[in-house]
Amino acid sequence: MARKNTKKIGEILIDQGSATQDQVVAAVLRAKDFGKRVGEVLVEEGICSEEQVARALADQFGVEYIDLTKPEASTKIDRSLLKDDLQKKFTMLSMRKERNTLLLLVHDPLDLAAIDAIGMYAGKADVGGIASRSQLAEYISGGSSGPNFEKQLLTSSLDKSKDSSRDSSKDASRDSSLDADAGSGANESGIVRLVDRFIVEAVQGRASDIHVEPRKNHVILRYRIDGVCIERQEIPKKMQNPLLARLKLMAGVNISERRIPQDGRIKMTIDGTVVDFRVSACPAVHGESVVLRILRPDSARLGLEKLGFQRDNLDIFNRIIRRPNGIFLVTGPTGSGKTTTLYSALNDLNTPDRKIITAEDPVEYAFKGINQVQVRESIGLTFSSILKSMLRQAPNIILVGEIRDREVADIAIQAALTGHMVFSTLHTNDAPSAITRLIDMGVKPFLVASSIQAVLGQRLVRILCEKCKKPDDAPDRKVLRLVGINDEELANGTMMKPVGCDGCSGTGYRGRRAIFELMTMNSEIRDLAFNRSSISKLRNAAVRGGMRSLVEDGKIKILAGQTTATEIANFAQIEGFDPNEISQS
């Protein structure tokens, strides 16, 4: 449930006169140390009563506070709408139904696991009111017991999904999943409804990944939104095996194999749009960890302007990708948007007069007019074998998903030297490191120097929510120094800070953009590459040649009010790199 009041619980309690600012600050620190809620700490220390905290929560979430000691409270509760054992188990009361949603009286509106568990039984559940825990427990006591909720879910038949005896010779990564709308509710199994519900919720909530992680006593469900993992709920341990079996079945992999990693794909229609999911199952101590990467069709067609390029870098980028031959590399860690950048470039270059072939592992997005090849090492269809075949197909542009070893690097360089434009990715920390990495692989320095046209290093940073961001009148000077913002730049810029609202789920950030460093090869850099020079010398030469570092590119976005200095410091700080030293050299 989203907060209606943007104030934090401590601020509301201060406004109500229930606590002082010093008491709240001390409670916040104690809550962080012990992993508790601020209100819980204030109650434990005798500063606030449970009722005062409950009133503050009701104010924060915009729902009614109900004092269960008052006679009129009974008129707002209808216990017949929910089994007594569920009300006892979760210390919640059923109030009424509105538009097929069961409204609950709760003590903790952030206990989403309990609310969702009741919602699986009732169809849909949400918070209708807030009361103190002790009053709820006292009111509920004496209720009759009923069948165990977890047992109902576990006994929901998975026999339909036991047709797992699929032909093991078929490719496990094929799209052999459900093509029906996930919101149709056609499946009646509790596990099926649970999986459909959290997949739809993750897609609608802008998540990029869904993590299902077995622990010792429960299963954790987490979403990655804007690059940050957010814990969604705890799922009972008893549901682990049927839950993992359901996911693996949908992904088209062997549900009885639990000893080795497996990869698959799911295709579902959500809100009228077909969404692909890349599924990875990896054995872990407490059971298989499953991650669903959400592949949105539109993300690869954002357009280069929306990726985060400054105008000068974008003009250089557009000139380089249109050259007739050479290698263009994109570097960065996993999840930094390398594939999206290359796909956006291919989307611009995809015209009838150009032949484009790609070798990918896996093929994430399908493009009309581009010949895409899926790597399948189990049958010998490797990057190197695909590349050799590609050269006989007379392409103009070749995309190699990743340069992983010397053999692939050598073939890519030969392709670049014989009249092809080659795009690829490389896992290095920054753009200049790509040159030394290729040489370390065993590629001859003169081939590296002569074939590479440019290297683009990038990271993804969160962008401030446009609805709630506000000017930052007192930015942290230490962080500003870390990213190199001086007083003059600060005075001429527009510093903004996150606030939090319903539109950004209270985080203050919504969406991500890339920060770049674009190193174009020139005679000085080629000479340094030929002589196997160090990364620091290559970086200095690149900066003298006009490269703007990740930090400098991030500064532009900070001073434009698009993101914060903390975000840039987290993702773009380069250890040992001092711009002042370069300017003096």
Side-chain angles (χ1 to χ4, degrees), residues 195-252:
V195 171
D196 285 353
R197 178 174 299 176
F198 72 63
I199 287 178
V200 171
E201 181 185 60
V203 172
Q204 293 174 342
R206 302 183 301 107
S208 60
D209 302 88
I210 303 170
H211 298 259
V212 180
E213 302 170 339
R215 305 288 170 83
K216 183 177 181 181
N217 299 314
H218 54 262
V219 179
I220 292 291
L221 174 66
R222 300 197 294 172
Y223 301 152
R224 186 181 294 277
I225 301 175
D226 293 337
V228 178
C229 276
I230 298 171
E231 190 170 308
R232 178 63 179 85
Q233 71 180 83
E234 292 182 3
I235 299 171
K237 188 70 172 178
K238 292 181 180 179
M239 296 168 64
Q240 175 176 314
N241 288 339
L243 173 61
L244 297 180
R246 174 62 184 167
L247 289 170
K248 291 168 70 176
L249 174 75
M250 294 173 70

Side-chain angles (χ1 to χ4, degrees), residues 51 131 281 339 501:
E51 287 69 32
T339 302
C501 65

Side-chain angles (χ1 to χ4, degrees), residues 381-429:
L381 194 60
T382 61
F383 274 120
S384 57
S385 64
I386 294 170
L387 270 172
K388 290 173 183 176
S389 177
M390 278 182 180
L391 297 179
R392 294 191 288 270
Q393 301 243 328
N396 300 105
I397 298 170
I398 294 171
L399 168 66
V400 183
E402 181 185 350
I403 294 179
R404 296 178 179 175
D405 53 43
R406 178 181 174 178
E407 184 179 12
V408 175
D410 281 339
I411 300 172
I413 287 173
Q414 290 303 320
L417 294 175
T418 53
H420 305 86
M421 189 65 193
V422 180
F423 295 152
S424 191
T425 67
L426 201 61
H427 285 281
T428 62
N429 288 329

Side-chain angles (χ1 to χ4, degrees), residues 413-474:
I413 287 173
Q414 290 303 320
L417 294 175
T418 53
H420 305 86
M421 189 65 193
V422 180
F423 295 152
S424 191
T425 67
L426 201 61
H427 285 281
T428 62
N429 288 329
D430 56 8
S433 299
I435 292 176
T436 56
R437 175 71 187 278
L438 288 173
I439 294 172
D440 288 343
M441 281 183 182
V443 181
K444 292 180 173 58
F446 77 90
L447 291 176
V448 173
S450 58
S451 62
I452 293 179
Q453 297 287 347
V455 183
L456 180 73
Q458 69 178 70
R459 299 286 191 281
L460 290 178
V461 296
R462 292 183 296 173
I463 296 299
L464 289 166
C465 175
E466 290 293 334
K467 292 184 178 179
C468 65
K469 69 178 182 180
K470 66 179 184 180
D472 189 355
D473 299 325

Side-chain angles (χ1 to χ4, degrees), residues 181-199:
D181 193 313
S184 64
N187 298 304
E188 296 183 4
S189 164
I191 291 294
V192 171
R193 286 189 289 117
L194 170 66
V195 171
D196 285 353
R197 178 174 299 176
F198 72 63
I199 287 178

Side-chain angles (χ1 to χ4, degrees), residues 449-450 452-453 520-531 538 541 545:
S450 58
I452 293 179
Q453 297 287 347
T520 55
M521 298 293 283
N522 55 33
S523 56
E524 182 183 6
I525 298 174
R526 293 185 197 280
D527 287 341
L528 290 171
F530 181 77
N531 292 311
L538 288 166

Side-chain angles (χ1 to χ4, degrees), residues 34-49:
F34 294 92
K36 295 183 177 181
R37 302 267 168 85
V38 174
E40 186 181 357
V41 172
L42 290 169
V43 171
E44 287 177 354
E45 295 182 350
I47 296 169
C48 298
S49 66

